[in-house]
Amino acid sequence: MALDVGVLGYRFMGEAHANAMARLPMFFPDAPDINRELLVGRDEEALSEAADRLGFSRTTTDWADAIEEVDVFYNLGPNFVHAEPSIAALEAGVPVFCEKPLAPTLSEAGTMTKAYREADVPAGCAFNYRFVPAIQYAKGLIDSGELGEIHHVRGRYLQDWLVDPEAPWAWRLDEEMAGSGALGDLGAHTIDLARFLVGDQAGEIERVSGHLRTFVDERPVEGGEERREVTVDDAYTAQAEFENGAVGSFEASRFANGHKNDHTIEIEGSAGSLKFSLERLNELEYLREGARGFETILVTDEEDPYVDHWWPPGHVLGWEHTFVHENYEFLSAVDEGGEFEPSFEDGLAAQRVIDAIQSSDASGEWVDIE
Ligand code: SOE
């Protein structure tokens, strides 16, 4: 029996996930059968066009309808829409897949996670970069002890779509709607990747010292003369300490002129090191124990994670494949009544670090992660 899927949101993330769902029958034939059943949005005309283009059977402007009628609910709306529909779905026993960051605030993320703990269904947070084959290969090296004791974790996520001061205002620039700026939008990914990669070896991030910066504090609203205040960070930097004493440094910016979607993570240990860049996402740079320098591994062999579903070695994958992989794992967990990670617990863990960085910026002090 096919799973009827309801999706709230049909812009960038709606397209990425709808594309992923459409690929599953062709490349992951053991994935559960699904119907792209119900697309949820506010603007009926835009919603109808999107439903046709993204392959959804029906539309509704009321997410409560969707929750009553579907087997799985995807919350791909803006951050300020994540909590209420996701909690309602979980209270109705409907599995939820929610885009990152989990919520604008730690409090809301906590309430969402409480609803997940009380429901007996999967609730995933869409940290898609965990599903890059090279990242999963890197985790295998780290967990097998190839890097030895982890000493350094260094992550940055650089974009430049706001460097033009006249780039229009958007919900991502409003604290009430987004919670934070580059920190929650981009930093959430890097914090989650750090947890995923070194969490078993270095433990959790125990304390942080953070700095937030807004370079342009008001922007034009598209289609008129209005200008609105920017109330979130354009960039952040943070230092972190892990349970094992490893030193972390994290940053993200939307003003990193010339960087389009430059997400990198570097890990150095007592026996070896790794470097990953999203702009070269099929490759992993690896310093083996005793080697004189890094080697570049092309992670596209059949035995590499997910690659056997796609093409022969060297026929590289792209950003969109990470969504196919995460949708395969999430929908399989729903169908089999299994667990999916990253769950809302992981979303909450990232939110704790985000909140601590915000607190540290306000106090100028190091802040422990509760
Ligand atoms: C921001 O521009 C953004 O779309 C993030 O919201 C996504 O999570 C990231 O994957 C790409 O950049």
Side-chain angles (χ1 to χ4, degrees), residues 12-13 79 99-101 126-129 157 159 161 171-172 184-186 188-189 254 260-261 263 278 319 322-323:
F12 184 10
M13 287 297 116
N79 301 354
E99 263 300 330
K100 40 52 60 184
F127 289 118
N128 61 298
Y129 298 120
Y157 202 151
Q159 297 178 343
W161 55 282
W171 67 262
R172 280 188 168 89
D185 188 24
L186 303 177
H189 276 300
R254 293 156 163 173
K260 298 308 170 188
N261 198 30
H263 192 196
L278 181 60
W319 179 81
T322 68
F323 286 81

PDB file of all heavy atoms in Angstrom, residues 12-13 79 99-101 126-129 157 159 161 171-172 184-186 188-189 254 260-261 263 278 319 322-323, ligand 1:
ATOM      1  N   PHE A  12      12.086  26.367  -2.986  1.00  0.00           N
ATOM      2  CA  PHE A  12      13.391  25.719  -3.113  1.00  0.00           C
ATOM      3  C   PHE A  12      13.403  24.305  -2.479  1.00  0.00           C
ATOM      4  O   PHE A  12      13.631  23.299  -3.172  1.00  0.00           O
ATOM      5  CB  PHE A  12      14.415  26.624  -2.437  1.00  0.00           C
ATOM      6  CG  PHE A  12      15.842  26.195  -2.530  1.00  0.00           C
ATOM      7  CD1 PHE A  12      16.259  25.160  -3.347  1.00  0.00           C
ATOM      8  CD2 PHE A  12      16.798  26.860  -1.784  1.00  0.00           C
ATOM      9  CE1 PHE A  12      17.599  24.789  -3.424  1.00  0.00           C
ATOM     10  CE2 PHE A  12      18.137  26.490  -1.853  1.00  0.00           C
ATOM     11  CZ  PHE A  12      18.526  25.459  -2.660  1.00  0.00           C
ATOM     12  N   MET A  13      13.060  24.208  -1.214  1.00  0.00           N
ATOM     13  CA  MET A  13      13.128  22.888  -0.562  1.00  0.00           C
ATOM     14  C   MET A  13      12.001  21.978  -1.063  1.00  0.00           C
ATOM     15  O   MET A  13      12.167  20.765  -1.180  1.00  0.00           O
ATOM     16  CB  MET A  13      13.092  23.035   0.955  1.00  0.00           C
ATOM     17  CG  MET A  13      14.396  23.593   1.515  1.00  0.00           C
ATOM     18  SD  MET A  13      15.810  22.485   1.209  1.00  0.00           S
ATOM     19  CE  MET A  13      16.834  23.497   0.149  1.00  0.00           C
ATOM     20  N   ASN A  79      11.106  28.798   8.720  1.00  0.00           N
ATOM     21  CA  ASN A  79      11.368  28.332  10.094  1.00  0.00           C
ATOM     22  C   ASN A  79      10.202  28.593  11.033  1.00  0.00           C
ATOM     23  O   ASN A  79       9.882  27.779  11.885  1.00  0.00           O
ATOM     24  CB  ASN A  79      12.613  29.025  10.661  1.00  0.00           C
ATOM     25  CG  ASN A  79      13.854  28.760   9.824  1.00  0.00           C
ATOM     26  OD1 ASN A  79      13.817  27.963   8.871  1.00  0.00           O
ATOM     27  ND2 ASN A  79      14.949  29.433  10.144  1.00  0.00           N
ATOM     28  N   GLU A  99      12.361  20.528   7.603  1.00  0.00           N
ATOM     29  CA  GLU A  99      13.606  21.159   7.180  1.00  0.00           C
ATOM     30  C   GLU A  99      14.337  21.802   8.361  1.00  0.00           C
ATOM     31  O   GLU A  99      13.768  21.985   9.442  1.00  0.00           O
ATOM     32  CB  GLU A  99      13.350  22.218   6.096  1.00  0.00           C
ATOM     33  CG  GLU A  99      13.563  21.700   4.665  1.00  0.00           C
ATOM     34  CD  GLU A  99      14.986  21.207   4.409  1.00  0.00           C
ATOM     35  OE1 GLU A  99      15.921  21.730   5.036  1.00  0.00           O
ATOM     36  OE2 GLU A  99      15.162  20.285   3.600  1.00  0.00           O
ATOM     37  N   LYS A 100      15.622  22.039   8.151  1.00  0.00           N
ATOM     38  CA  LYS A 100      16.454  22.629   9.211  1.00  0.00           C
ATOM     39  C   LYS A 100      16.437  24.147   9.074  1.00  0.00           C
ATOM     40  O   LYS A 100      16.096  24.662   8.009  1.00  0.00           O
ATOM     41  CB  LYS A 100      17.886  22.117   9.116  1.00  0.00           C
ATOM     42  CG  LYS A 100      18.507  21.958   7.739  1.00  0.00           C
ATOM     43  CD  LYS A 100      18.446  23.164   6.830  1.00  0.00           C
ATOM     44  CE  LYS A 100      19.135  24.371   7.387  1.00  0.00           C
ATOM     45  NZ  LYS A 100      18.987  25.609   6.526  1.00  0.00           N
ATOM     46  N   PRO A 101      16.768  24.861  10.129  1.00  0.00           N
ATOM     47  CA  PRO A 101      16.878  24.412  11.510  1.00  0.00           C
ATOM     48  C   PRO A 101      15.495  24.029  12.034  1.00  0.00           C
ATOM     49  O   PRO A 101      14.478  24.467  11.484  1.00  0.00           O
ATOM     50  CB  PRO A 101      17.446  25.640  12.232  1.00  0.00           C
ATOM     51  CG  PRO A 101      16.904  26.794  11.452  1.00  0.00           C
ATOM     52  CD  PRO A 101      16.872  26.325  10.016  1.00  0.00           C
ATOM     53  N   ALA A 126      15.974  17.610   8.294  1.00  0.00           N
ATOM     54  CA  ALA A 126      16.561  17.404   6.963  1.00  0.00           C
ATOM     55  C   ALA A 126      17.963  17.989   6.823  1.00  0.00           C
ATOM     56  O   ALA A 126      18.227  18.885   6.015  1.00  0.00           O
ATOM     57  CB  ALA A 126      15.640  17.974   5.889  1.00  0.00           C
ATOM     58  N   PHE A 127      18.885  17.450   7.632  1.00  0.00           N
ATOM     59  CA  PHE A 127      20.296  17.799   7.475  1.00  0.00           C
ATOM     60  C   PHE A 127      20.847  16.941   6.335  1.00  0.00           C
ATOM     61  O   PHE A 127      21.476  15.906   6.538  1.00  0.00           O
ATOM     62  CB  PHE A 127      21.055  17.547   8.773  1.00  0.00           C
ATOM     63  CG  PHE A 127      20.729  18.519   9.871  1.00  0.00           C
ATOM     64  CD1 PHE A 127      20.152  18.097  11.061  1.00  0.00           C
ATOM     65  CD2 PHE A 127      21.006  19.876   9.715  1.00  0.00           C
ATOM     66  CE1 PHE A 127      19.864  18.985  12.087  1.00  0.00           C
ATOM     67  CE2 PHE A 127      20.725  20.779  10.739  1.00  0.00           C
ATOM     68  CZ  PHE A 127      20.145  20.333  11.924  1.00  0.00           C
ATOM     69  N   ASN A 128      20.630  17.401   5.104  1.00  0.00           N
ATOM     70  CA  ASN A 128      20.914  16.580   3.924  1.00  0.00           C
ATOM     71  C   ASN A 128      22.394  16.285   3.707  1.00  0.00           C
ATOM     72  O   ASN A 128      22.744  15.302   3.054  1.00  0.00           O
ATOM     73  CB  ASN A 128      20.339  17.242   2.663  1.00  0.00           C
ATOM     74  CG  ASN A 128      20.934  18.617   2.403  1.00  0.00           C
ATOM     75  OD1 ASN A 128      20.784  19.508   3.223  1.00  0.00           O
ATOM     76  ND2 ASN A 128      21.614  18.772   1.279  1.00  0.00           N
ATOM     77  N   TYR A 129      23.311  17.107   4.280  1.00  0.00           N
ATOM     78  CA  TYR A 129      24.723  16.897   3.981  1.00  0.00           C
ATOM     79  C   TYR A 129      25.287  15.649   4.653  1.00  0.00           C
ATOM     80  O   TYR A 129      26.365  15.174   4.312  1.00  0.00           O
ATOM     81  CB  TYR A 129      25.538  18.151   4.298  1.00  0.00           C
ATOM     82  CG  TYR A 129      25.101  19.320   3.442  1.00  0.00           C
ATOM     83  CD1 TYR A 129      24.615  20.489   4.016  1.00  0.00           C
ATOM     84  CD2 TYR A 129      25.111  19.230   2.056  1.00  0.00           C
ATOM     85  CE1 TYR A 129      24.174  21.539   3.228  1.00  0.00           C
ATOM     86  CE2 TYR A 129      24.678  20.270   1.257  1.00  0.00           C
ATOM     87  CZ  TYR A 129      24.196  21.422   1.853  1.00  0.00           C
ATOM     88  OH  TYR A 129      23.750  22.468   1.076  1.00  0.00           O
ATOM     89  N   TYR A 157      30.647  27.688   6.388  1.00  0.00           N
ATOM     90  CA  TYR A 157      29.641  27.637   5.325  1.00  0.00           C
ATOM     91  C   TYR A 157      29.499  29.063   4.790  1.00  0.00           C
ATOM     92  O   TYR A 157      28.945  29.926   5.435  1.00  0.00           O
ATOM     93  CB  TYR A 157      28.322  27.102   5.851  1.00  0.00           C
ATOM     94  CG  TYR A 157      27.396  26.527   4.792  1.00  0.00           C
ATOM     95  CD1 TYR A 157      26.496  25.522   5.100  1.00  0.00           C
ATOM     96  CD2 TYR A 157      27.403  26.972   3.482  1.00  0.00           C
ATOM     97  CE1 TYR A 157      25.640  24.980   4.154  1.00  0.00           C
ATOM     98  CE2 TYR A 157      26.563  26.461   2.520  1.00  0.00           C
ATOM     99  CZ  TYR A 157      25.688  25.464   2.852  1.00  0.00           C
ATOM    100  OH  TYR A 157      24.836  24.943   1.898  1.00  0.00           O
ATOM    101  N   GLN A 159      28.430  31.838   1.795  1.00  0.00           N
ATOM    102  CA  GLN A 159      27.646  32.215   0.631  1.00  0.00           C
ATOM    103  C   GLN A 159      27.791  33.728   0.445  1.00  0.00           C
ATOM    104  O   GLN A 159      28.319  34.429   1.314  1.00  0.00           O
ATOM    105  CB  GLN A 159      26.168  31.830   0.828  1.00  0.00           C
ATOM    106  CG  GLN A 159      25.930  30.334   0.965  1.00  0.00           C
ATOM    107  CD  GLN A 159      24.475  29.989   1.196  1.00  0.00           C
ATOM    108  OE1 GLN A 159      23.657  30.833   1.562  1.00  0.00           O
ATOM    109  NE2 GLN A 159      24.123  28.725   0.968  1.00  0.00           N
ATOM    110  N   TRP A 161      25.016  35.726  -1.210  1.00  0.00           N
ATOM    111  CA  TRP A 161      23.791  36.240  -1.848  1.00  0.00           C
ATOM    112  C   TRP A 161      23.256  37.515  -1.207  1.00  0.00           C
ATOM    113  O   TRP A 161      22.331  38.129  -1.720  1.00  0.00           O
ATOM    114  CB  TRP A 161      22.699  35.168  -1.900  1.00  0.00           C
ATOM    115  CG  TRP A 161      22.319  34.537  -0.602  1.00  0.00           C
ATOM    116  CD1 TRP A 161      23.014  33.567   0.054  1.00  0.00           C
ATOM    117  CD2 TRP A 161      21.158  34.792   0.209  1.00  0.00           C
ATOM    118  NE1 TRP A 161      22.360  33.213   1.207  1.00  0.00           N
ATOM    119  CE2 TRP A 161      21.216  33.945   1.324  1.00  0.00           C
ATOM    120  CE3 TRP A 161      20.068  35.662   0.085  1.00  0.00           C
ATOM    121  CZ2 TRP A 161      20.241  33.930   2.323  1.00  0.00           C
ATOM    122  CZ3 TRP A 161      19.086  35.657   1.067  1.00  0.00           C
ATOM    123  CH2 TRP A 161      19.181  34.805   2.174  1.00  0.00           C
ATOM    124  N   TRP A 171      12.248  36.579   4.622  1.00  0.00           N
ATOM    125  CA  TRP A 171      11.908  36.078   5.975  1.00  0.00           C
ATOM    126  C   TRP A 171      13.172  35.604   6.690  1.00  0.00           C
ATOM    127  O   TRP A 171      13.259  35.664   7.912  1.00  0.00           O
ATOM    128  CB  TRP A 171      10.860  34.982   5.936  1.00  0.00           C
ATOM    129  CG  TRP A 171      11.282  33.692   5.301  1.00  0.00           C
ATOM    130  CD1 TRP A 171      11.033  33.289   4.014  1.00  0.00           C
ATOM    131  CD2 TRP A 171      12.021  32.624   5.907  1.00  0.00           C
ATOM    132  NE1 TRP A 171      11.583  32.049   3.799  1.00  0.00           N
ATOM    133  CE2 TRP A 171      12.201  31.620   4.933  1.00  0.00           C
ATOM    134  CE3 TRP A 171      12.552  32.405   7.186  1.00  0.00           C
ATOM    135  CZ2 TRP A 171      12.892  30.422   5.191  1.00  0.00           C
ATOM    136  CZ3 TRP A 171      13.221  31.224   7.452  1.00  0.00           C
ATOM    137  CH2 TRP A 171      13.398  30.252   6.464  1.00  0.00           C
ATOM    138  N   ARG A 172      14.184  35.150   5.909  1.00  0.00           N
ATOM    139  CA  ARG A 172      15.409  34.647   6.541  1.00  0.00           C
ATOM    140  C   ARG A 172      16.171  35.758   7.266  1.00  0.00           C
ATOM    141  O   ARG A 172      17.128  35.474   7.979  1.00  0.00           O
ATOM    142  CB  ARG A 172      16.337  34.018   5.495  1.00  0.00           C
ATOM    143  CG  ARG A 172      15.985  32.592   5.079  1.00  0.00           C
ATOM    144  CD  ARG A 172      17.080  32.009   4.210  1.00  0.00           C
ATOM    145  NE  ARG A 172      16.940  30.587   4.009  1.00  0.00           N
ATOM    146  CZ  ARG A 172      16.236  30.007   3.025  1.00  0.00           C
ATOM    147  NH1 ARG A 172      15.596  30.793   2.164  1.00  0.00           N
ATOM    148  NH2 ARG A 172      16.177  28.688   2.905  1.00  0.00           N
ATOM    149  N   GLY A 184      21.739  30.050  12.036  1.00  0.00           N
ATOM    150  CA  GLY A 184      20.781  28.944  12.033  1.00  0.00           C
ATOM    151  C   GLY A 184      20.583  28.332  10.663  1.00  0.00           C
ATOM    152  O   GLY A 184      20.323  27.135  10.535  1.00  0.00           O
ATOM    153  N   ASP A 185      20.719  29.172   9.624  1.00  0.00           N
ATOM    154  CA  ASP A 185      20.445  28.683   8.274  1.00  0.00           C
ATOM    155  C   ASP A 185      21.601  27.820   7.769  1.00  0.00           C
ATOM    156  O   ASP A 185      21.414  26.747   7.213  1.00  0.00           O
ATOM    157  CB  ASP A 185      20.246  29.886   7.348  1.00  0.00           C
ATOM    158  CG  ASP A 185      19.757  29.461   5.979  1.00  0.00           C
ATOM    159  OD1 ASP A 185      19.159  28.380   5.854  1.00  0.00           O
ATOM    160  OD2 ASP A 185      20.002  30.217   5.030  1.00  0.00           O
ATOM    161  N   LEU A 186      22.824  28.305   7.968  1.00  0.00           N
ATOM    162  CA  LEU A 186      24.020  27.623   7.457  1.00  0.00           C
ATOM    163  C   LEU A 186      24.789  26.927   8.581  1.00  0.00           C
ATOM    164  O   LEU A 186      25.177  25.765   8.464  1.00  0.00           O
ATOM    165  CB  LEU A 186      24.920  28.629   6.741  1.00  0.00           C
ATOM    166  CG  LEU A 186      24.256  29.397   5.591  1.00  0.00           C
ATOM    167  CD1 LEU A 186      25.214  30.413   5.001  1.00  0.00           C
ATOM    168  CD2 LEU A 186      23.727  28.446   4.536  1.00  0.00           C
ATOM    169  N   ALA A 188      23.709  25.688  11.247  1.00  0.00           N
ATOM    170  CA  ALA A 188      23.039  24.456  11.708  1.00  0.00           C
ATOM    171  C   ALA A 188      23.575  23.233  10.968  1.00  0.00           C
ATOM    172  O   ALA A 188      23.801  22.170  11.557  1.00  0.00           O
ATOM    173  CB  ALA A 188      21.521  24.572  11.501  1.00  0.00           C
ATOM    174  N   HIS A 189      23.807  23.391   9.666  1.00  0.00           N
ATOM    175  CA  HIS A 189      24.351  22.274   8.866  1.00  0.00           C
ATOM    176  C   HIS A 189      25.738  21.868   9.365  1.00  0.00           C
ATOM    177  O   HIS A 189      26.033  20.679   9.526  1.00  0.00           O
ATOM    178  CB  HIS A 189      24.482  22.700   7.402  1.00  0.00           C
ATOM    179  CG  HIS A 189      23.245  22.575   6.580  1.00  0.00           C
ATOM    180  ND1 HIS A 189      22.588  21.393   6.372  1.00  0.00           N
ATOM    181  CD2 HIS A 189      22.558  23.511   5.872  1.00  0.00           C
ATOM    182  CE1 HIS A 189      21.544  21.599   5.579  1.00  0.00           C
ATOM    183  NE2 HIS A 189      21.506  22.865   5.256  1.00  0.00           N
ATOM    184  N   ARG A 254      26.809  35.170   4.773  1.00  0.00           N
ATOM    185  CA  ARG A 254      26.099  35.390   3.505  1.00  0.00           C
ATOM    186  C   ARG A 254      26.722  36.567   2.770  1.00  0.00           C
ATOM    187  O   ARG A 254      26.177  37.066   1.810  1.00  0.00           O
ATOM    188  CB  ARG A 254      24.619  35.695   3.786  1.00  0.00           C
ATOM    189  CG  ARG A 254      23.861  34.500   4.370  1.00  0.00           C
ATOM    190  CD  ARG A 254      22.671  34.968   5.151  1.00  0.00           C
ATOM    191  NE  ARG A 254      21.715  33.894   5.389  1.00  0.00           N
ATOM    192  CZ  ARG A 254      20.655  34.053   6.174  1.00  0.00           C
ATOM    193  NH1 ARG A 254      20.443  35.210   6.792  1.00  0.00           N
ATOM    194  NH2 ARG A 254      19.809  33.067   6.354  1.00  0.00           N
ATOM    195  N   LYS A 260      29.836  30.795  -3.269  1.00  0.00           N
ATOM    196  CA  LYS A 260      28.423  30.583  -3.615  1.00  0.00           C
ATOM    197  C   LYS A 260      27.715  29.628  -2.665  1.00  0.00           C
ATOM    198  O   LYS A 260      26.641  29.910  -2.169  1.00  0.00           O
ATOM    199  CB  LYS A 260      28.311  30.085  -5.061  1.00  0.00           C
ATOM    200  CG  LYS A 260      28.852  31.094  -6.082  1.00  0.00           C
ATOM    201  CD  LYS A 260      28.238  32.466  -5.903  1.00  0.00           C
ATOM    202  CE  LYS A 260      28.918  33.537  -6.738  1.00  0.00           C
ATOM    203  NZ  LYS A 260      28.435  34.906  -6.399  1.00  0.00           N
ATOM    204  N   ASN A 261      28.316  28.459  -2.437  1.00  0.00           N
ATOM    205  CA  ASN A 261      27.713  27.497  -1.493  1.00  0.00           C
ATOM    206  C   ASN A 261      28.835  26.635  -0.944  1.00  0.00           C
ATOM    207  O   ASN A 261      28.866  25.434  -1.052  1.00  0.00           O
ATOM    208  CB  ASN A 261      26.658  26.631  -2.212  1.00  0.00           C
ATOM    209  CG  ASN A 261      25.714  25.947  -1.215  1.00  0.00           C
ATOM    210  OD1 ASN A 261      25.455  26.472  -0.122  1.00  0.00           O
ATOM    211  ND2 ASN A 261      25.224  24.766  -1.574  1.00  0.00           N
ATOM    212  N   HIS A 263      30.616  24.995   1.578  1.00  0.00           N
ATOM    213  CA  HIS A 263      30.515  24.345   2.900  1.00  0.00           C
ATOM    214  C   HIS A 263      31.698  23.391   3.026  1.00  0.00           C
ATOM    215  O   HIS A 263      31.831  22.459   2.242  1.00  0.00           O
ATOM    216  CB  HIS A 263      29.206  23.566   2.978  1.00  0.00           C
ATOM    217  CG  HIS A 263      28.874  23.103   4.365  1.00  0.00           C
ATOM    218  ND1 HIS A 263      27.928  22.114   4.589  1.00  0.00           N
ATOM    219  CD2 HIS A 263      29.335  23.467   5.576  1.00  0.00           C
ATOM    220  CE1 HIS A 263      27.836  21.905   5.893  1.00  0.00           C
ATOM    221  NE2 HIS A 263      28.671  22.721   6.517  1.00  0.00           N
ATOM    222  N   LEU A 278      31.957  21.037  -0.108  1.00  0.00           N
ATOM    223  CA  LEU A 278      30.715  20.777  -0.856  1.00  0.00           C
ATOM    224  C   LEU A 278      30.898  21.124  -2.329  1.00  0.00           C
ATOM    225  O   LEU A 278      30.267  20.513  -3.197  1.00  0.00           O
ATOM    226  CB  LEU A 278      29.575  21.596  -0.257  1.00  0.00           C
ATOM    227  CG  LEU A 278      28.197  21.437  -0.888  1.00  0.00           C
ATOM    228  CD1 LEU A 278      27.703  19.996  -0.795  1.00  0.00           C
ATOM    229  CD2 LEU A 278      27.197  22.378  -0.220  1.00  0.00           C
ATOM    230  N   TRP A 319      24.462  17.893  -5.744  1.00  0.00           N
ATOM    231  CA  TRP A 319      23.800  18.330  -4.510  1.00  0.00           C
ATOM    232  C   TRP A 319      22.445  17.653  -4.359  1.00  0.00           C
ATOM    233  O   TRP A 319      22.066  17.217  -3.269  1.00  0.00           O
ATOM    234  CB  TRP A 319      23.645  19.856  -4.595  1.00  0.00           C
ATOM    235  CG  TRP A 319      22.978  20.522  -3.455  1.00  0.00           C
ATOM    236  CD1 TRP A 319      23.545  20.857  -2.259  1.00  0.00           C
ATOM    237  CD2 TRP A 319      21.615  20.948  -3.394  1.00  0.00           C
ATOM    238  NE1 TRP A 319      22.610  21.471  -1.453  1.00  0.00           N
ATOM    239  CE2 TRP A 319      21.411  21.548  -2.130  1.00  0.00           C
ATOM    240  CE3 TRP A 319      20.529  20.892  -4.278  1.00  0.00           C
ATOM    241  CZ2 TRP A 319      20.189  22.077  -1.717  1.00  0.00           C
ATOM    242  CZ3 TRP A 319      19.309  21.438  -3.871  1.00  0.00           C
ATOM    243  CH2 TRP A 319      19.154  22.007  -2.620  1.00  0.00           C
ATOM    244  N   THR A 322      21.819  14.165  -2.539  1.00  0.00           N
ATOM    245  CA  THR A 322      21.777  14.039  -1.066  1.00  0.00           C
ATOM    246  C   THR A 322      20.328  14.003  -0.580  1.00  0.00           C
ATOM    247  O   THR A 322      19.996  13.336   0.392  1.00  0.00           O
ATOM    248  CB  THR A 322      22.510  15.213  -0.378  1.00  0.00           C
ATOM    249  OG1 THR A 322      21.773  16.433  -0.580  1.00  0.00           O
ATOM    250  CG2 THR A 322      23.908  15.384  -0.915  1.00  0.00           C
ATOM    251  N   PHE A 323      19.433  14.693  -1.325  1.00  0.00           N
ATOM    252  CA  PHE A 323      18.005  14.682  -0.943  1.00  0.00           C
ATOM    253  C   PHE A 323      17.372  13.329  -1.280  1.00  0.00           C
ATOM    254  O   PHE A 323      16.494  12.843  -0.554  1.00  0.00           O
ATOM    255  CB  PHE A 323      17.275  15.829  -1.653  1.00  0.00           C
ATOM    256  CG  PHE A 323      17.583  17.182  -1.077  1.00  0.00           C
ATOM    257  CD1 PHE A 323      18.741  17.850  -1.420  1.00  0.00           C
ATOM    258  CD2 PHE A 323      16.724  17.770  -0.161  1.00  0.00           C
ATOM    259  CE1 PHE A 323      19.037  19.085  -0.864  1.00  0.00           C
ATOM    260  CE2 PHE A 323      17.011  19.012   0.398  1.00  0.00           C
ATOM    261  CZ  PHE A 323      18.178  19.662   0.043  1.00  0.00           C
TER     262      PHE A 323
HETATM  263  C1  SOE B   1      20.450  29.176   2.177  1.00  0.00           C
HETATM  264  O1  SOE B   1      20.661  29.916   1.032  1.00  0.00           O
HETATM  265  C2  SOE B   1      20.330  27.695   1.822  1.00  0.00           C
HETATM  266  O2  SOE B   1      19.271  27.512   0.920  1.00  0.00           O
HETATM  267  C3  SOE B   1      20.018  26.894   3.072  1.00  0.00           C
HETATM  268  O3  SOE B   1      18.748  27.254   3.606  1.00  0.00           O
HETATM  269  C4  SOE B   1      20.052  25.407   2.747  1.00  0.00           C
HETATM  270  O4  SOE B   1      19.806  24.633   3.909  1.00  0.00           O
HETATM  271  C5  SOE B   1      21.429  25.067   2.182  1.00  0.00           C
HETATM  272  O5  SOE B   1      21.510  23.676   1.879  1.00  0.00           O
HETATM  273  C6  SOE B   1      21.675  25.881   0.913  1.00  0.00           C
HETATM  274  O6  SOE B   1      21.566  27.291   1.223  1.00  0.00           O
END
